[in-house]
Amino acid sequence: MRRLKEDFLCMLGAAPKKPEHPGQIAEEVRQIMELKRANKSRLKEHLHEEARRNPCHKWRNRRWIVLVAVNLLFLFSFWLDIQILEGALTASRFVGFHLVDLNSALQVMLAHKHVIVNLVIGTVTVFLLWVMLGGRSFCSWVCPYHLLAELTEKLHLRLVQKKIVTDHEFHRGTRTVFWVLFAILAFVTGYTVFETLSPVGILSRALIYGPGLALAWVFLLLLFEIFWSRRAWCRYVCPIGLTYGVVGTITPLRVSYHVEACFHEGDCRKVCLVPHVLDVTIKGRATETEMGLGPDCTRCGLCVDACPTGALRFEVKGLSKLL
Amino acid sequence: MSEPEQPNPNPPPKAKPAMSLEKRQRMRRKFIRSAILLAGVIGASILGVVPVIRGWAQRLRPPGALDEKDFLASCIKCGQCVQVCPVSAIKLGEIDEGYGIGVPFIDAREQACDFSCDAVQCILACPTGSLTYEKPDFFPVRKGAELSRMPVLKARANESEPAINLRERMGLARLTRPEACLAMQGKGFVGTPRGAGFKGKMRYMDIDRWKPILVRDYPYEREICDLCVTECPIEDAIALEPFTDADGNQGFRPVVREQCVGCGVCEMICPAEPAAIEIETRALWRANGEGV
């Protein structure tokens, strides 16, 4: 329970906690760390060399396929009139069943202050869906902006490597402030203020109903991320991510960390959108032999791909042990 | 960092090392940057109110829309109404409409709503009640927006339930350019009213009830142009009234009646360029017989 609270606060912007004294670290973990210290084999170097020579993209590829497929399903449902997934990412109907994006629903409810049954049905359905599938999985497995930002991130990283640009970090708590401000704005003004700038809605509608002027805003965001701050929108601004993060707090589907297999090299943190969730992989941070990553994790699987020793794995809490 | 192998569960509390000047400065800069980011993005989002308040785009909303303020608040910007419209009359607002981004509207001159779906499908599709058959009681109905009775669809005039489930008008048709109106000049019309390049569609009951066709594929021949009257999908919404002007010339004036829902078919079909009759968005009917 305490860890859940810490992970939650960390998602809102607090710095990840270090174990304050050895008493917090499980006896088993201490033994593992002891063994690691004693056994300085060359295995570590070998595995990392191997991993860098043959980078694994298993989860990334699966994820991209799902993301593209979902968005194309929206497109074709309209274009080819196959009517499987009608609407856009803000609200839709899957073979007739209402689905409503949680953050859009929240904005509409706050602004309009009147909720009809269909909106409730759609919201509850999507809520349950992402409680099962891990809240922020929406971000990396569905959100079209995530995909674009992931691609431009590569460009940003190359420019950083060549020392042409530097990454300017913001305080992670900024996103929480944004979430609160956009909620207040919707409630007070009676307009869905955030939707005007939401690149998710803009991109989804542009894909389905045709491109428009609003894409210029998305383009500006991407430029900002390339030349100024890595993944700035997703990391520091997007209230949608936080909404789904909160929903995913109790999700059983997660990436888990197994300290026994870890060499604490930090390759996972370099590829991660939300590296603070991987702070447990820093030497001396883990308190249990097996730890689920915090709710801010988008379950994108980049760390699972990057880890040469399999210390990070997808698992369904409670179920993986049974299988 | 704590040493995991020392089995001392209660180490003496360590004093926190004083933060280096450089680190403190870095944090301060990060804080200021974050504040600027907040101000910038929130500021940009608030700019969206400008086009709304200034009324830059007075949009004709789809049938069954709540009052404008409520409509913008409740619309979730998903476009499901766009998808069900058989004549593709509904479009979505652009970012230059501020909070109207992604909100559906009808450009009647390009493609009006001719109710060829019969059931007002867009209302049925709306997940948030932005478009609704019946407003909840606590939303006030503006005087003159309410129709005196549910409008009868000409296409269903012979059926047991000829009316469409619509209680308020979207707007009102108005003869904005009487001098351009062919009927007013006593002229007829032959041909396709909007030219060979026009992409607008309409349902013609004599062609196919369920398949709207291009207006350009349906030529007309009228001794006195009465397209706005004959093509109007609603009964008793518009009629031609004869008049004689001061010089003794005979003409016909299109007169809009109380049953006009503001669907915009008259504006779309009007052969004058620009249209002699147009929809005034969200206009209210006044008892003296003139739309305002």
Side-chain angles (χ1 to χ4, degrees):
Chain A
M1 202 60 212
R2 217 193 71 185
R3 226 175 82 71
L4 199 70
K5 188 181 143 208
E6 271 173 19
D7 284 344
F8 193 81
L9 290 177
C10 182
M11 176 167 70
L12 298 186
K17 281 241 168 70
K18 299 172 192 174
E20 277 151 21
H21 53 82
Q24 286 180 336
I25 296 168
E27 180 57 34
E28 237 180 322
V29 178
R30 275 187 260 172
Q31 278 171 8
I32 289 169
M33 297 311 283
E34 183 75 14
L35 276 172
K36 278 187 193 171
R37 195 162 317 229
N39 180 15
K40 290 221 167 66
S41 72
R42 299 242 320 127
L43 183 67
K44 169 160 126 176
E45 285 82 10
H46 175 72
L47 282 172
H48 277 85
E49 254 169 47
E50 191 72 17
R52 276 168 197 148
R53 235 194 337 268
N54 309 309
C56 169
H57 294 306
K58 185 172 103 179
W59 285 102
R60 188 201 69 183
N61 292 346
R62 286 178 183 179
R63 185 165 52 81
W64 282 2
I65 289 169
V66 171
L67 193 151
V68 170
V70 169
N71 283 283
L72 284 183
L73 194 56
F74 272 108
L75 176 68
F76 291 146
S77 291
F78 182 38
W79 272 30
L80 308 179
D81 208 25
I82 52 175
Q83 298 183 8
I84 295 171
L85 192 55
E86 291 171 288
L89 272 177
T90 52
S92 57
R93 233 174 274 204
F94 180 68
V95 289
F97 288 99
H98 280 286
L99 300 174
V100 180
D101 168 69
L102 298 180
N103 199 70
S104 302
L106 184 78
Q107 297 287 315
V108 162
M109 288 173 186
L110 288 172
H112 189 44
K113 301 163 191 79
H114 171 61
V115 184
I116 68 161
V117 179
N118 281 344
L119 184 58
V120 175
I121 292 173
T123 309
V124 170
T125 309
V126 170
F127 177 84
L128 293 177
L129 180 75
W130 293 112
V131 165
M132 304 289 291
L133 296 178
R136 287 207 74 188
S137 320
F138 168 83
C139 299
S140 65
W141 291 76
V142 176
C143 176
Y145 183 76
H146 189 282
L147 181 62
L148 288 187
E150 217 176 330
L151 298 175
T152 51
E153 183 183 20
K154 290 189 194 309
L155 196 58
H156 169 82
L157 291 177
R158 202 169 301 163
L159 293 176
V160 169
Q161 203 182 16
K162 287 184 179 167
K163 298 205 162 68
I164 297 171
V165 301
T166 48
D167 175 24
H168 297 78
E169 284 185 17
F170 296 90
H171 194 285
R172 286 190 302 103
T174 315
R175 186 180 57 168
T176 310
V177 182
F178 269 119
W179 193 96
V180 172
L181 285 180
F182 278 123
I184 292 175
L185 273 175
F187 187 77
V188 171
T189 66
Y191 293 110
T192 55
V193 176
F194 172 69
E195 294 299 332
T196 315
L197 299 184
S198 166
V200 186
I202 290 173
L203 277 171
S204 184
R205 283 189 300 267
L207 177 72
I208 298 159
Y209 307 113
L213 198 61
L215 286 181
W217 166 250
V218 178
F219 187 67
L220 276 179
L221 289 181
L222 292 172
L223 283 184
F224 183 76
E225 292 185 1
I226 294 170
F227 292 108
W228 185 258
S229 178
R230 181 180 177 185
R231 298 301 297 269
W233 182 268
C234 304
R235 279 181 174 173
Y236 313 115
V237 183
C238 191
I240 304 175
L242 185 54
T243 302
Y244 281 106
V246 172
V247 170
T249 307
I250 51 165
T251 297
L253 174 68
R254 59 184 192 175
V255 174
S256 69
Y257 170 64
H258 304 257
V259 67
E260 193 170 2
C262 179
F263 288 128
H264 312 285
E265 297 281 81
D267 283 9
C268 51
R269 292 195 297 278
K270 285 182 202 142
V271 296
C272 184
L273 169 68
V274 281
H276 50 277
V277 303
L278 284 166
D279 264 33
V280 280
T281 65
I282 297 172
K283 199 184 268 177
R285 294 289 180 90
T287 52
E288 307 287 333
T289 51
E290 191 192 320
M291 297 175 85
L293 302 186
D296 215 5
C297 168
T298 67
R299 280 84 167 163
C300 74
L302 285 180
C303 61
V304 180
D305 282 344
C307 181
T309 58
L312 291 156
R313 301 163 207 167
F314 272 106
E315 64 146 31
V316 181
K317 200 177 173 185
L319 205 69
S320 295
K321 278 212 182 90
L322 288 176
L323 292 176
Chain B
M1 195 183 294
S2 49
E3 295 286 272
E5 60 278 319
Q6 282 171 12
N8 177 7
N10 297 310
K14 280 180 227 157
K16 261 199 173 160
M19 214 181 271
S20 73
L21 191 68
E22 197 197 352
K23 197 179 173 190
R24 228 170 26 216
Q25 253 176 4
R26 232 187 6 245
M27 295 217 5
R28 223 186 87 203
R29 253 181 264 139
K30 192 162 151 179
F31 185 78
I32 294 170
R33 257 205 308 273
S34 304
I36 294 172
L37 181 74
L38 268 165
V41 175
I42 294 289
S45 75
I46 289 175
L47 276 183
V49 81
V50 177
V52 175
I53 287 180
R54 289 285 174 87
W56 283 349
Q58 297 278 343
R59 295 299 200 184
L60 180 65
R61 300 301 180 188
L66 299 176
D67 287 350
E68 189 69 7
K69 176 85 207 284
D70 295 322
F71 189 60
L72 292 181
S74 57
C75 174
I76 202 157
K77 291 96 185 161
C78 68
Q80 289 186 60
C81 49
V82 175
Q83 302 205 2
V84 294
C85 182
V87 290
S88 312
I90 304 175
K91 296 176 182 129
L92 296 180
E94 255 300 342
I95 201 167
D96 57 358
E97 285 169 48
Y99 298 153
I101 188 175
V103 178
F105 68 90
I106 293 174
D107 182 353
R109 185 66 173 159
E110 287 306 307
Q111 176 61 61
C113 160
D114 70 341
F115 294 103
S116 50
C117 62
D118 273 8
V120 208
Q121 294 283 348
C122 45
I123 300 181
L124 210 58
C126 182
T128 62
S130 265
L131 304 174
T132 178
Y133 289 120
E134 200 166 3
K135 263 187 192 178
D137 294 336
F138 48 85
F139 289 121
V141 178
R142 292 171 309 146
K143 202 167 177 296
E146 196 164 31
L147 293 154
S148 64
R149 59 184 158 94
M150 287 212 236
V152 171
L153 210 53
K154 284 180 186 167
R156 292 207 316 220
N158 299 324
E159 293 173 14
S160 57
E161 279 184 47
I164 47 172
N165 195 355
L166 195 67
R167 287 172 171 77
E168 283 183 49
R169 65 184 91 249
M170 308 144 72
L172 269 174
R174 211 181 158 102
L175 195 64
T176 47
R177 296 183 188 86
E179 71 286 354
C181 174
L182 295 174
M184 290 283 282
Q185 302 164 40
K187 289 182 185 164
F189 177 77
V190 177
T192 51
R194 299 294 306 282
F198 185 60
K199 294 198 182 84
K201 280 180 177 178
M202 234 166 53
R203 156 174 65 184
Y204 292 95
M205 291 296 279
D206 52 330
I207 304 277
D208 187 337
R209 175 171 183 163
W210 299 116
K211 204 168 178 293
I213 61 161
L214 290 165
V215 170
R216 67 179 184 221
D217 293 338
Y218 194 91
Y220 295 90
E221 196 175 337
R222 302 286 161 88
E223 275 180 38
I224 292 291
C225 178
D226 57 355
L227 297 184
C228 54
V229 176
T230 62
E231 302 315 294
C232 175
I234 309 293
E235 271 194 358
D236 299 329
I238 187 168
L240 278 192
E241 286 178 5
F243 70 95
T244 312
D245 69 10
D247 305 329
N249 298 322
Q250 177 93 55
F252 292 86
R253 183 197 312 277
V255 177
V256 178
R257 303 253 171 93
E258 191 277 334
Q259 281 289 290
C260 172
V261 299
C263 69
V265 168
C266 51
E267 182 180 332
M268 173 169 81
I269 207 74
C270 181
E273 196 66 55
I277 191 164
E278 289 175 306
I279 299 298
E280 199 176 319
T281 300
R282 294 191 185 276
L284 304 170
W285 180 260
R286 284 208 178 153
N288 64 13
E290 246 321 275
V292 173

